[in-house]
Amino acid sequence: MEAILTAQIREESGKEISRRLRAKKQLPAILYGKNHKKLVVDEREVQKLLNVHGMSRLIKLRVENPEKNKTEEHSVLIKDAQFHPVKGNILHLDLYEVSLDHKVTLKVPLVITGEEDRVNDGSIIEQMLYEIEISCLPTEIPEKIEVDVSGLKMNEVITAGDLKIPEGVDLVTSPEEYVVSASSPKVELPEAEEKAEEGEEAPSTGEGTDKEEQEEE
């Protein structure tokens, strides 16, 4: 599914303008690159785009300009998105225009697959890396990179260099970077046993002292 976002030209700027826009479920946005523009986008449209396509997809940006009675199209990527620290809703969007015949560097998400096919050897899958940095043409950006753990055994790891990267995509993240590991489960000891293992004496219950005091009485 193609990612499409509609925007309008914005002449004014400032905190008060941004507050007014958000009150109408609209967001301030900026397009960077050879066609620098201040824009207004629909908050719900942006949220839907992020839910479906994420932050790393090529977007067809349609900029409506009523004064010139025309719509311009730009190929863009999301440069940055600002979110409310408490509510989590999006506040501002930065976009940058890209050339379709020049490679871009960006991060794409990693998705673990094959857990249900693993032999149950008691190990636990631990994920250390949730996205990797790649370089490719904007038209070849993968939606995600899968990490197949179906054959991973106890004390084994998968590094970034082990991943199956699509043709035409270059890995920028270090190949030695750990992505997932199959680790033995940690056993939590009772506090008394844990202290004993560390060389400390287990706390006395005080029963012997009480008994001796009773006998003395």
Side-chain angles (χ1 to χ4, degrees):
M1 182 191 302
E2 189 176 25
I4 299 174
L5 180 62
T6 304
Q8 292 79 40
I9 296 292
R10 171 170 56 96
E11 300 295 343
E12 299 177 300
S13 60
K15 292 183 179 180
E16 183 59 33
I17 298 299
S18 297
R19 279 194 289 266
R20 290 178 189 174
L21 289 174
R22 295 183 190 114
K24 297 186 291 184
K25 297 297 181 181
Q26 294 179 319
L27 299 174
I30 297 178
L31 173 63
Y32 292 94
K34 61 181 181 180
N35 292 287
H36 188 278
K37 300 178 187 295
K38 290 182 289 187
L39 306 171
V40 177
V41 292
D42 183 81
E43 179 183 356
R44 287 159 293 193
E45 188 179 352
V46 172
Q47 193 60 62
K48 183 179 178 180
L49 184 146
L50 293 178
N51 291 342
V52 175
H53 300 286
M55 295 278 290
S56 304
R57 285 294 297 277
L58 181 66
I59 301 169
K60 180 185 288 186
L61 178 68
R62 293 175 175 165
V63 180
E64 298 174 351
N65 193 332
E67 292 184 2
K68 295 184 179 180
N69 195 26
K70 68 175 184 178
T71 299
E72 304 171 357
E73 288 194 353
H74 305 271
S75 297
V76 304
L77 292 172
I78 295 177
K79 180 180 182 181
D80 187 32
Q82 297 176 16
F83 296 87
H84 192 283
V86 177
K87 298 178 181 178
N89 57 301
I90 189 166
L91 300 176
H92 188 278
L93 198 65
D94 286 342
L95 307 166
Y96 69 97
E97 190 168 9
V98 296
S99 173
L100 298 183
D101 56 1
H102 286 77
K103 286 189 174 184
V104 294
T105 299
L106 73 167
K107 293 180 179 180
V108 294
L110 294 172
V111 178
I112 291 180
T113 64
E115 278 196 270
E116 64 281 0
D117 299 322
R118 288 187 68 235
V119 174
N120 186 7
D121 61 358
S123 61
I124 298 173
I125 293 296
E126 293 187 12
Q127 187 169 0
M128 286 82 84
L129 211 60
Y130 291 85
E131 57 185 11
I132 58 168
E133 195 168 20
I134 60 168
S135 175
C136 63
L137 293 175
T139 54
E140 296 179 347
I141 299 172
E143 182 179 347
K144 60 187 177 182
I145 300 290
E146 293 187 348
V147 185
D148 184 6
V149 299
S150 58
L152 200 61
K153 299 177 182 178
M154 179 83 77
N155 299 324
E156 290 184 343
V157 299
I158 293 177
T159 65
D162 296 325
L163 300 176
K164 292 183 178 178
I165 307 296
E167 188 176 350
V169 177
D170 299 321
L171 179 66
V172 177
T173 298
S174 171
E176 287 78 33
E177 190 93 26
Y178 281 11
V179 177
V180 295
S181 67
S183 308
S184 56
K186 296 178 181 178
V187 180
E188 292 189 7
L189 298 174
E191 186 177 349
E193 292 183 26
E194 192 173 324
K195 288 184 177 180
E197 282 201 354
E198 293 174 356
E200 298 181 16
E201 292 184 3
S204 171
T205 61
E207 290 180 359
T209 303
D210 290 342
K211 189 176 180 181
E212 288 174 3
E213 289 177 354
Q214 290 173 1
E215 287 177 353
E216 288 177 359
E217 291 177 354

